[in-house]
């Protein structure tokens, strides 16, 4: 464990850092508006687990996770009870496994994946992330071996999540990696078709991925992160929606933004209070709080319903992108006022399957794939949990990923793609997962071919604004 000096370095007295009245006001919203701590994610560095022998690597990984995370779930549940605030998910994020397995004499990444999954079950967490590779400028042999192993690894495990970063504003977009990723998305869905393609739902492809993100499927512990830290992801779309609905219906947009900022301040304050308390109990540093409004399939806990409270008939109406831009910005401004340690993705998520309002809009045809792509230019992440026909060509999936990575690269923001090509299903069918993953209608994609373009491969150069040293 860390020494007391290390674990408390740079901390402030959490109980003195928050306005008790604001905390109590926010707590009063828990039962009515679905406020919760969406996740507490323990980030653990595995850099000292590297070895030439794969069995030694797996042994070291298990021992290190047990060392730090054996009490994570128990303490989180106790603190959730103490504050009467639900902590929905407990998770672990690890150093990208492509790095950890690369020094082994044999590349048996699936063996490592099974070790991660078994150890996650042993400590009782919901998910373990970090089965990842960072390949925005090119792939090492270990990166490529891990990427090719992803479909088998996700099919053979239940709690493992995976991600690959294929682009950045500094390096450009690695189209070779995108072609590999498009194939593994398709194969992951096929290997888990009896679960509606669940394997693909546990994988995400990034541009400008962040190393302290507590949300799955993209959470990992970056190379510059500490030995261990606790990152917190808060939620609260229902709280924001309620605050807007309590306003005068003729309130202008400036007033609307102010109310969203004030609400985000309260949500963030609550999340950091709980997170710091849990970090103290675990004797590890508090990392960051991620401000993201993460919806659930529960009615009333929807980002799409915030748009309706703002005055749009439904998500997908003209004005939706503008409303999302204002929401995202106001959430960040309010959260930054409440905490000096904001990180992760921070903003508003728009996953189709995990948001009751988005699900309804997609079913009714209000949200098309093109409109979803437009919204990703101003949201926190990107094309998230979208089911597409199972016969969608790999080249089309690669083209979708390339478009989304371009939005992230040019705008210097994180973007991501989490697609489920649902095997044997067509437009109008649906995939069903239950829990936080919810369900999603299969939506249409553009039928025009991208094949000749994506098969040029190579790397799309970084934009001119990358030269800002």
């Amino acid at each position: 464990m860390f020494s007391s000096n290390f674990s408390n370095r740079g901390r402030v007295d959490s109980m003195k850092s928050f306005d008790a009245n604001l905390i109590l006001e926010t707590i009063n919203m828990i039962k009515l508006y679905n406020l919760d701590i969406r996740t507490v994610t323990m980030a653990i560095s595995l850099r000292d687990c590297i070895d030439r022998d794969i069995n030694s690597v797996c042994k070291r990984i298990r021992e290190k996770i047990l060392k730090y995370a054996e009490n994570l779930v128990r303490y989180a549940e106790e603190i959730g009870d103490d504050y009467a605030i639900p902590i929905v998910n407990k998770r672990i994020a690890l150093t990208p496994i492509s790095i950890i397995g690369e020094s082994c004499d044999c590349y048996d990444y699936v063996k490592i994946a099974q070790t991660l999954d078994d150890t996650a079950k042993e400590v009782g967490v919901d998910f373990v992330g970090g089965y990842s590779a960072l390949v925005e400028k090119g792939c090492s042999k270990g990166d490529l071996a891990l990427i090719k192993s992803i479909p088998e690894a996700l099919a053979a495990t239940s709690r493992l999540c995976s991600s690959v970063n294929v682009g950045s504003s500094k390096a450009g977009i690695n189209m070779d990696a995108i072609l590999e990723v498009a194939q593994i998305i398709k194969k992951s869905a096929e290997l888990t078709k009896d679960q509606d393609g669940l394997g693909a739902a546990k994988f995400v492809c990034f541009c400008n991925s962040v190393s302290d993100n507590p949300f799955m499927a993209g959470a990992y512990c970056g190379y510059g992160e500490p030995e261990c830290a606790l990152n917190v992801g808060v939620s609260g779309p229902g709280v924001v929606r309620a605050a807007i609905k309590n306003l005068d219906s003729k309130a202008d947009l400036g007033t609307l933004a102010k109310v969203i900022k004030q609400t985000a301040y309260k949500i963030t304050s609550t999340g950091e209070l709980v997170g710091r308390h849990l970090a103290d109990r675990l004797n590890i540093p508090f990392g960051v709080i991620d401000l993201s409004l993460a919806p659930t399939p529960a009615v009333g806990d929807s980002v799409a319903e915030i748009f309706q409270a703002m005055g749009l008939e439904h998500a997908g109406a003209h004005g939706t992108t503008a409303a999302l831009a204002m929401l995202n910005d106001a959430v960040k401004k309010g959260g930054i006022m409440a905490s000096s340690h904001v990180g992760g993705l921070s903003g508003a998520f728009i996953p189709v399957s995990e948001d009751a309002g988005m699900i309804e809009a997609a079913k009714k045809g209000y949200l098309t794939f093109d409109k979803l792509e437009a919204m990703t230019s101003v949201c926190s992440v990107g094309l998230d949990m979208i089911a597409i026909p199972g016969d969608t060509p790999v080249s089309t999936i690669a083209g979708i990923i390339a478009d989304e990575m371009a939005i992230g690269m040019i705008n210097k923001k994180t973007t991501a793609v989490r697609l489920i090509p649902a095997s044997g299903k067509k437009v109008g069918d649906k995939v069903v997962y239950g829990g936080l993953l919810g369900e999603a209608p299969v939506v249409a994609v553009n039928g025009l071919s991208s094949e000749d373009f994506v098969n040029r491969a190579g790397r799309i150069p970084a934009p001119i604004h990358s030269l800002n040293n």
Side-chain angles (χ1 to χ4, degrees):
M1 283 294 179
F2 297 96
S3 69
S4 58
N5 286 338
F6 181 84
S7 63
N8 291 311
R9 188 181 303 154
R11 291 187 182 175
V12 295
D13 185 333
S14 60
M15 295 304 292
K16 293 179 182 178
S17 301
F18 301 97
D19 185 319
N21 290 329
L22 288 176
I23 298 298
L24 290 173
E25 180 185 346
T26 306
I27 289 173
N28 287 334
M29 297 179 180
I30 292 168
K31 291 185 177 179
L32 293 176
Y33 306 122
N34 299 298
L35 177 64
D36 57 45
I37 308 298
R38 183 52 46 84
T39 178
V40 289
T41 301
M42 178 181 283
I44 304 173
S45 172
L46 299 182
R47 286 159 55 180
D48 57 351
C49 297
I50 292 173
D51 196 279
R52 293 181 68 88
D53 178 58
I54 186 69
N55 294 314
S56 177
V57 169
C58 291
K59 181 174 181 289
R60 290 182 179 187
I61 288 174
R62 178 180 176 276
E63 289 174 349
K64 189 152 192 188
I65 293 174
L66 291 177
K67 175 183 177 182
Y68 287 111
E70 63 178 346
N71 293 315
L72 173 61
V73 172
R74 179 163 66 91
Y75 288 172
E77 290 176 349
E78 289 174 359
I79 289 171
D81 289 342
D82 289 345
Y83 286 98
I85 300 174
I87 298 177
V88 179
N89 266 228
K90 298 86 176 174
R91 300 166 175 172
I92 294 171
L94 304 169
T95 307
I97 296 300
S98 66
I99 298 171
I100 305 306
E102 193 163 38
S103 293
C104 294
D105 290 329
C106 66
Y107 290 157
D108 191 352
Y109 281 104
V110 174
K111 184 180 180 67
I112 298 177
Q114 290 169 331
T115 298
L116 297 179
D117 199 56
D118 290 344
T119 311
K121 292 175 185 175
E122 194 170 348
V123 298
V125 295
D126 299 283
F127 292 108
V128 56
Y131 199 76
S132 307
L134 311 178
V135 297
E136 56 269 25
K137 206 168 184 179
C139 293
S140 68
K141 288 185 283 187
D143 291 330
L144 191 56
L146 180 131
I147 291 171
K148 288 183 178 297
S149 77
I150 287 172
E152 183 182 353
L154 293 178
T157 58
S158 60
R159 306 187 188 205
L160 185 71
C161 290
S162 178
S163 64
V164 177
N165 192 76
V166 300
S168 74
S169 297
K170 277 287 190 182
I173 300 172
N174 184 347
M175 286 300 299
D176 295 323
I178 285 178
L179 284 167
E180 287 287 344
V181 164
Q183 292 176 45
I184 69 108
I185 289 172
K186 187 98 174 202
K187 188 173 180 182
S188 294
E190 290 171 353
L191 289 179
T192 54
K193 61 184 177 182
D194 59 332
Q195 299 172 285
D196 274 355
L198 180 61
K202 296 190 295 174
F203 172 81
V204 60
C205 179
F206 276 112
C207 178
N208 293 323
S209 67
V210 292
S211 61
D212 56 6
N213 162 30
F215 287 100
M216 297 299 172
Y220 66 89
C221 178
Y223 204 76
E225 294 294 305
E227 178 79 1
C228 187
L230 189 80
N231 299 317
V232 176
V234 295
S235 186
V239 178
V240 173
R241 173 178 171 270
I244 294 171
K245 286 183 73 69
N246 286 336
L247 276 175
D248 187 304
S249 61
K250 298 188 182 300
D252 66 21
L253 293 174
T255 303
L256 204 63
K258 182 178 179 181
V259 167
I260 295 169
K261 286 190 291 185
Q262 291 170 338
T263 306
Y265 179 93
K266 299 169 192 175
I267 294 170
T268 305
S269 299
T270 305
E272 184 161 350
L273 173 64
V274 173
R276 286 189 179 276
H277 190 172
L278 179 56
D280 285 337
R281 285 285 301 276
L282 292 165
N283 195 30
I284 62 174
F286 177 77
V288 301
I289 184 158
D290 188 312
L291 311 175
S292 300
L293 293 180
T296 72
V299 175
D301 197 28
S302 161
V303 170
E305 290 174 4
I306 295 176
F307 302 148
Q308 291 175 282
M310 287 178 167
L312 296 173
E313 183 176 353
H314 213 299
H318 293 300
T320 299
T321 305
L324 178 57
M326 188 181 78
L327 173 64
N328 218 37
D329 180 65
V331 166
K332 291 180 180 180
K333 287 175 177 173
I336 287 171
M337 289 295 293
S339 174
S340 298
H341 297 283
V342 172
L345 300 169
S346 289
F349 288 4
I350 52 169
V352 173
S353 79
E354 300 171 10
D355 183 309
M358 296 287 284
I359 294 168
E360 182 184 8
K363 284 180 177 177
K364 292 183 175 179
Y366 302 154
L367 273 178
T368 63
F369 202 99
D370 290 343
K371 183 61 175 177
L372 285 164
E373 182 182 296
M375 292 167 67
T376 66
S377 65
V378 296
C379 78
S380 282
V381 192
L383 295 168
D384 196 8
M385 289 298 288
I386 301 175
I388 60 176
D391 61 359
T392 302
V394 167
S395 59
T396 298
I397 295 172
I400 290 168
I401 295 170
D403 283 344
E404 193 60 29
M405 300 303 100
I407 290 172
M409 177 182 72
I410 296 297
N411 291 290
K412 299 183 182 179
K413 71 183 293 292
T414 301
T415 52
V417 172
R418 190 156 54 143
L419 294 176
I420 303 112
S423 296
K425 298 200 174 184
K426 58 185 185 300
V427 174
D429 294 335
K430 65 179 180 179
V431 295
V432 180
Y433 303 115
L436 286 179
L437 294 180
E439 64 178 58
V442 177
V443 299
V445 298
N446 193 313
L448 297 175
S449 175
S450 312
E451 187 168 2
D452 288 347
F453 172 73
V454 298
N455 283 326
R456 288 179 180 272
R459 184 153 56 95
I460 296 177
I464 188 66
H465 60 56
S466 67
L467 300 176
N468 58 358
N469 291 334

